[in-house]
Amino acid sequence: MGTGFDSQPDQTTLLEREPSKTKPPPMFTVVLLNDDFTPMEFVVLVLEKFFSKGREQATQIMLKVHHEGRGVCGIYPRDIARTKIDQVSRFSRQNQHPLQCIMEEA
């Protein structure tokens, strides 16, 4: 009669871990748009203050905005991009400038 125990060695089944199928969060490009009223120096200030650009890089982006109508400030996760846009919009309004900033999926 059996003892209620298997006489064979314990054969634990190991499951292989499947690679995670979660994708990284989508990234968003933050873009400044040109207008005919915001001074170029203010755009440079915004790029330095909110996007941590040095004077030279900020000037290059400002010139791109001026000549091409838009310039990329950076690529961020959605929440950070939204926060940066809100900061730029608030700062621009406080300084009575119509500077617009948008985000596009990267």
Side-chain angles (χ1 to χ4, degrees):
M1 219 168 172
T3 61
F5 293 104
D6 247 4
S7 60
Q8 295 185 3
D10 186 17
Q11 295 182 358
T12 305
T13 304
L14 294 177
L15 298 176
E16 286 189 35
R17 175 179 277 166
E18 288 187 30
S20 177
K21 293 182 180 172
T22 58
K23 295 187 286 188
M27 300 296 280
F28 290 83
T29 304
V30 176
V31 180
L32 282 178
L33 302 177
N34 190 37
D35 63 69
D36 293 331
F37 304 102
T38 305
M40 293 180 180
E41 193 57 37
F42 184 78
V43 175
V44 170
L45 174 63
V46 164
L47 289 161
E48 291 173 332
K49 182 176 179 76
F50 298 106
F51 299 97
S52 303
K53 304 298 183 191
R55 173 65 66 161
E56 185 175 326
Q57 190 178 15
T59 301
Q60 290 173 355
I61 295 169
M62 176 275 296
L63 289 171
K64 190 168 180 78
V65 171
H66 181 69
H67 293 295
E68 298 178 22
R70 55 192 283 133
V72 173
C73 305
I75 300 175
Y76 307 94
R78 180 190 317 267
D79 291 344
I80 294 173
R82 172 57 49 209
T83 298
K84 295 218 178 261
I85 289 169
D86 291 345
Q87 290 171 330
V88 169
S89 296
R90 190 175 312 112
F91 187 67
S92 296
R93 283 193 310 271
Q94 288 170 350
N95 288 277
Q96 301 174 353
H97 296 301
L99 184 63
Q100 290 187 345
C101 194
I102 63 169
M103 68 186 210
E104 301 169 339
E105 194 161 352

